Amino acid sequence: MVLYRTVFDNFVHIRRAGYFLDAAREFVKYGGTSMNIANFPDYIYTPDSHYEKLYSETVNVSRAVWKTGINTVTTIGPYPLDYFYFQSAGKDPLEYMKKGIDLAACLIINGEADAMGEVGYPHFPVDEKIYNDSGEILKYALDVCHDRNIPLILHTEDMDKNGYLRIEELIKKHYKIERVMKHHANARDISFNDSILKSVVASRNNVKSAIESKKNFLLETDYTDQKEKPGKVIPVFSVPKRAEMIKNSYIDYMEIFHKIFEEVPFRFYGKDFFNK
Ligand SMILES: [Zn+2]
């Protein structure tokens, strides 16, 4: 099905042990053309080889998906919950995750991947020490991305208006706000008056309120490729399905498509990966 020349899912986790290329084909079948593939947070490697192996796996998965005809962007970096993995292995999470940031930056500069992420805070309440350490890791990532002009994707808890303003202030101390995006945002977040770019989960209601806000946003599924939990995650074809909904509901759908699938992602990732 062809809905538009570019139908972009801004955040998916695809892995070899999941539906892998079948998931990619399903996405295409419904009209999807492009996706950002982020690390699948797996803890199957040793702490010392964790990032090296995880990143190379993500890069390889992204290349394999690209070969099926999808334009891919690749996002690598330490995930906030890696903290607990290193901690329980008796390692210093700060040291390991900062090294993970350095390695990701290196691979991005070499053209193996495109963005740093998902970095930030765990999405559930944690004690003060872990929260502060996560903040230190985020600041380090912002500095590294600043020095190399790398786009950075945030993972955080659900935030209210003040939460966004707080994190905006932190970002601005270290990096340009337009180089940072919050993934897995809620639709109401778009109406907040901070200037962080938001990537909204592609539910029907989210899409409607995001469009009505007239602000810039991106659409994502945060699809988690798990055979063991079918039906528990938002389906991989959700962004194309929502694109179909937009096409059927908005007279200016071409402008909306151009903005959310081309203009905004192109500006953020800084390269034209949409025209294969
Ligand atoms: Zn996330």
Side-chain angles (χ1 to χ4, degrees):
M1 186 195 283
V2 179
L3 292 163
Y4 187 61
R5 61 186 175 219
T6 310
V7 175
F8 177 59
D9 186 332
N10 185 48
F11 212 84
V12 298
H13 304 279
I14 284 184
R15 62 169 175 173
R16 238 173 268 276
Y19 292 97
F20 189 38
L21 298 181
D22 285 341
R25 287 185 199 107
E26 189 85 345
F27 177 72
V28 171
K29 195 172 107 187
Y30 284 85
T33 68
S34 324
M35 52 169 63
N36 171 29
I37 296 183
N39 291 318
F40 191 98
D42 252 338
Y43 299 103
I44 50 178
Y45 312 117
T46 63
D48 285 297
S49 66
H50 178 72
Y51 289 118
E52 201 186 312
K53 291 196 169 148
L54 183 70
Y55 295 165
S56 99
E57 180 59 12
T58 306
V59 168
N60 287 334
V61 164
S62 187
R63 281 189 188 139
V65 170
W66 188 81
K67 281 189 188 147
T68 70
I70 295 174
N71 285 314
T72 59
V73 197
T74 314
T75 297
I76 54 175
Y79 181 54
L81 305 197
D82 295 353
Y83 190 98
F84 303 101
Y85 170 64
F86 293 120
Q87 192 181 46
S88 65
K91 309 286 181 190
D92 176 7
L94 263 80
E95 184 197 328
Y96 276 72
M97 290 170 79
K98 283 180 179 176
K99 276 190 195 153
I101 289 165
D102 293 338
L103 178 61
C106 218
L107 293 168
I108 294 164
I109 291 303
N110 289 340
E112 307 268 309
D114 306 283
M116 176 86 68
E118 41 183 320
V119 289
Y121 298 94
H123 44 273
F124 45 82
V126 292
D127 68 40
E128 215 184 313
K129 157 121 177 86
I130 296 174
Y131 196 82
N132 292 339
D133 283 353
S134 299
E136 196 184 319
I137 293 161
L138 173 59
K139 287 177 203 163
Y140 185 79
L142 287 164
D143 287 336
V144 168
C145 288
H146 172 267
D147 293 345
R148 296 165 182 79
N149 192 25
I150 293 170
L152 183 143
I153 302 179
L154 277 177
H155 170 105
T156 69
E157 71 277 26
D158 283 344
M159 294 185 290
D160 60 11
K161 218 168 147 180
N162 291 328
Y164 271 103
L165 290 174
R166 266 200 309 276
I167 207 151
E168 178 181 36
E169 200 183 307
L170 184 149
I171 293 164
K172 282 181 169 169
K173 278 185 192 147
H174 296 264
Y175 200 11
K176 280 185 278 194
I177 198 78
E178 61 268 26
R179 301 300 282 144
V180 180
M181 172 209 299
K182 155 84 171 115
H183 108 94
H184 210 109
N186 296 310
R188 53 150 209 187
D189 305 1
I190 297 202
S191 65
F192 300 159
N193 58 0
D194 62 276
S195 42
I196 299 171
L197 176 62
K198 284 134 192 165
S199 178
V200 172
V201 180
S203 71
R204 283 170 186 278
N205 285 336
N206 279 0
V207 171
K208 282 182 207 151
S209 35
I211 289 173
E212 273 144 38
S213 76
K214 306 274 178 211
K215 291 196 184 172
N216 285 338
F217 66 95
L218 290 147
L219 283 182
E220 66 171 63
T221 51
D222 204 1
Y223 171 73
T224 313
D225 197 17
Q226 286 172 296
K227 277 194 167 164
E228 52 291 10
K229 285 189 200 166
K232 286 249 167 151
V233 295
I234 182 165
V236 72
F237 51 77
S238 303
V239 170
K241 284 301 266 183
R242 291 306 95 80
E244 197 184 345
M245 183 192 94
I246 293 169
K247 199 168 183 171
N248 294 330
S249 324
Y250 297 89
I251 199 156
D252 57 343
Y253 71 88
M254 290 285 273
E255 278 162 56
I256 299 170
F257 285 169
H258 175 63
K259 192 160 153 181
I260 67 176
F261 294 145
E262 297 175 325
E263 194 187 302
V264 174
F266 176 75
R267 199 185 307 143
F268 182 74
Y269 293 103
K271 69 174 203 184
D272 189 3
F273 43 83
F274 299 106
N275 299 309
K276 211 175 160 170

XYZ file of all heavy atoms in Angstrom, residues 55-86:
263
model
N 25.773 -2.555 20.230
C 25.753 -1.562 19.145
C 25.972 -2.239 17.798
O 25.314 -1.907 16.819
C 26.839 -0.494 19.341
C 26.695 0.389 20.557
C 27.758 1.176 21.003
C 25.498 0.450 21.275
C 27.643 2.001 22.112
C 25.382 1.261 22.402
C 26.471 2.029 22.813
O 26.359 2.842 23.919
N 26.911 -3.177 17.764
C 27.173 -3.785 16.461
C 25.968 -4.619 16.021
O 25.631 -4.656 14.833
C 28.503 -4.546 16.452
O 28.299 -5.905 16.638
N 25.273 -5.215 16.979
C 24.048 -5.946 16.644
C 22.974 -4.981 16.109
O 22.327 -5.267 15.097
C 23.540 -6.703 17.885
C 22.274 -7.514 17.682
C 22.368 -8.598 16.612
O 23.481 -8.915 16.145
O 21.303 -9.118 16.225
N 22.804 -3.851 16.759
C 21.796 -2.875 16.311
C 22.120 -2.355 14.911
O 21.239 -2.252 14.052
C 21.704 -1.694 17.307
O 21.467 -2.237 18.603
C 20.575 -0.733 16.959
N 23.393 -2.063 14.680
C 23.821 -1.588 13.360
C 23.552 -2.664 12.304
O 23.030 -2.381 11.222
C 25.321 -1.186 13.387
C 25.862 -0.961 11.981
C 25.525 0.067 14.249
N 23.850 -3.915 12.626
C 23.609 -5.004 11.675
C 22.128 -5.245 11.417
O 21.724 -5.503 10.280
C 24.262 -6.307 12.167
C 25.768 -6.247 12.026
O 26.288 -5.519 11.171
N 26.492 -6.978 12.862
N 21.323 -5.157 12.466
C 19.871 -5.308 12.302
C 19.345 -4.191 11.398
O 18.563 -4.430 10.473
C 19.153 -5.302 13.680
C 17.650 -5.057 13.523
C 19.395 -6.617 14.414
N 19.830 -2.979 11.635
C 19.386 -1.838 10.841
C 19.759 -2.027 9.366
O 18.966 -1.736 8.476
C 20.015 -0.567 11.409
O 19.482 0.563 10.776
N 20.955 -2.544 9.117
C 21.379 -2.797 7.726
C 20.516 -3.865 7.073
O 20.136 -3.753 5.912
C 22.839 -3.254 7.701
C 23.764 -2.085 7.838
C 25.209 -2.487 7.606
N 26.039 -1.343 7.949
C 27.177 -1.424 8.611
N 27.655 -2.599 9.001
N 27.851 -0.324 8.882
N 20.191 -4.914 7.836
C 19.361 -6.000 7.291
C 17.966 -5.476 6.960
O 17.385 -5.827 5.930
C 19.282 -7.149 8.297
N 17.427 -4.619 7.817
C 16.104 -4.033 7.565
C 16.181 -3.115 6.346
O 15.281 -3.102 5.500
C 15.592 -3.279 8.820
C 14.347 -2.458 8.501
C 15.296 -4.262 9.957
N 17.248 -2.369 6.244
C 17.468 -1.470 5.092
C 17.436 -2.265 3.786
O 16.873 -1.816 2.795
C 18.817 -0.761 5.286
C 19.087 0.324 4.298
C 18.618 1.602 4.327
C 19.911 0.223 3.129
N 19.094 2.302 3.250
C 19.888 1.499 2.499
C 20.666 -0.797 2.546
C 20.586 1.754 1.319
C 21.360 -0.535 1.379
C 21.318 0.731 0.771
N 17.997 -3.451 3.832
C 18.021 -4.293 2.622
C 16.635 -4.768 2.204
O 16.438 -5.173 1.066
C 18.937 -5.503 2.835
C 20.392 -5.145 2.682
C 21.267 -6.381 2.678
C 22.726 -5.959 2.728
N 23.540 -6.928 3.478
N 15.667 -4.738 3.123
C 14.308 -5.123 2.739
C 13.582 -3.964 2.050
O 12.426 -4.097 1.669
C 13.451 -5.571 3.954
O 13.166 -4.412 4.767
C 14.127 -6.622 4.797
N 14.250 -2.822 1.923
C 13.650 -1.693 1.207
C 13.199 -0.551 2.098
O 12.598 0.414 1.633
N 13.487 -0.655 3.393
C 13.104 0.409 4.328
C 14.298 1.328 4.542
O 15.431 0.854 4.705
C 12.670 -0.213 5.680
C 11.394 -1.038 5.488
C 12.483 0.855 6.738
C 10.973 -1.810 6.732
N 14.062 2.634 4.526
C 15.132 3.570 4.885
C 15.271 3.579 6.398
O 14.300 3.869 7.096
C 14.791 4.973 4.404
C 14.978 5.096 2.917
O 15.985 4.654 2.369
N 14.001 5.673 2.251
N 16.433 3.269 6.881
C 16.594 3.215 8.332
C 17.549 4.295 8.843
O 18.476 4.695 8.157
C 17.125 1.836 8.794
O 18.387 1.587 8.163
C 16.158 0.722 8.468
N 17.288 4.718 10.053
C 18.197 5.525 10.851
C 18.529 4.633 12.037
O 17.694 3.830 12.452
C 17.512 6.789 11.412
C 18.535 7.797 11.863
C 16.540 7.369 10.455
N 19.720 4.776 12.592
C 20.120 3.902 13.691
C 20.484 4.729 14.922
O 21.232 5.698 14.819
C 21.321 3.044 13.268
O 21.069 2.516 11.968
C 21.558 1.909 14.242
N 19.927 4.320 16.046
C 20.185 5.026 17.307
C 20.845 4.085 18.309
O 20.323 3.006 18.587
C 18.861 5.577 17.887
O 18.332 6.531 16.975
C 19.072 6.242 19.234
N 21.987 4.501 18.820
C 22.708 3.681 19.797
C 23.130 4.535 20.998
O 23.333 5.738 20.864
C 23.967 3.006 19.176
C 24.866 4.053 18.506
C 23.566 1.929 18.170
C 26.186 3.481 17.973
N 23.253 3.873 22.131
C 23.660 4.583 23.344
C 23.219 3.813 24.560
O 22.485 2.835 24.445
N 23.661 4.231 25.740
C 23.255 3.522 26.952
C 21.822 3.825 27.356
O 21.392 4.973 27.329
C 24.231 4.028 28.014
C 24.913 5.198 27.454
C 24.601 5.326 26.003
N 21.088 2.802 27.698
C 19.688 2.888 28.127
C 19.688 3.115 29.641
O 20.496 2.488 30.347
C 19.037 1.547 27.767
C 17.576 1.396 28.080
C 16.637 2.305 27.612
C 17.115 0.307 28.816
C 15.289 2.141 27.875
C 15.764 0.128 29.085
C 14.857 1.055 28.616
O 13.525 0.894 28.877
N 18.811 3.988 30.158
C 18.853 4.286 31.599
C 18.848 3.045 32.516
O 19.483 3.046 33.573
C 17.609 5.139 31.819
C 17.383 5.814 30.506
C 17.820 4.831 29.452
N 18.156 1.984 32.108
C 18.081 0.810 32.986
C 19.356 -0.041 32.960
O 19.498 -0.970 33.765
C 16.866 -0.067 32.648
C 15.499 0.603 32.648
C 14.394 -0.440 32.724
C 15.331 1.604 33.769
N 20.280 0.282 32.052
C 21.575 -0.414 32.065
C 22.243 -0.231 33.428
O 23.040 -1.055 33.860
C 22.512 0.147 30.982
C 21.997 -0.115 29.575
O 20.989 -0.839 29.436
O 22.605 0.420 28.628
N 21.911 0.880 34.061
C 22.443 1.192 35.390
C 22.325 -0.011 36.330
O 23.280 -0.403 36.996
C 21.663 2.378 35.967
C 22.262 2.956 37.227
C 23.079 4.082 37.170
C 22.017 2.377 38.477
C 23.637 4.616 38.321
C 22.570 2.911 39.628
C 23.376 4.033 39.550
O 23.940 4.551 40.688
N 21.141 -0.618 36.333
C 20.880 -1.729 37.261
C 21.658 -2.982 36.864
O 22.064 -3.766 37.709
C 19.379 -2.020 37.324
C 18.576 -0.822 37.729
C 17.890 -0.067 36.792
C 18.545 -0.417 39.060
C 17.175 1.062 37.164
C 17.825 0.707 39.447
C 17.144 1.453 38.484
N 21.833 -3.128 35.572
C 22.600 -4.278 35.076
C 24.047 -4.208 35.559
O 24.588 -5.182 36.106
C 22.530 -4.316 33.546
C 23.475 -5.305 32.901
C 23.325 -6.671 33.129
C 24.524 -4.863 32.096
C 24.198 -7.575 32.547
C 25.400 -5.762 31.506
C 25.230 -7.121 31.733
O 26.107 -8.003 31.176
N 24.673 -3.053 35.383
C 26.071 -2.912 35.814
C 26.184 -2.969 37.336
O 27.097 -3.580 37.881
C 26.672 -1.608 35.273
C 26.812 -1.615 33.778
C 26.165 -0.681 32.988
C 27.594 -2.588 33.147
C 26.274 -0.712 31.605
C 27.714 -2.625 31.763
C 27.051 -1.680 30.989
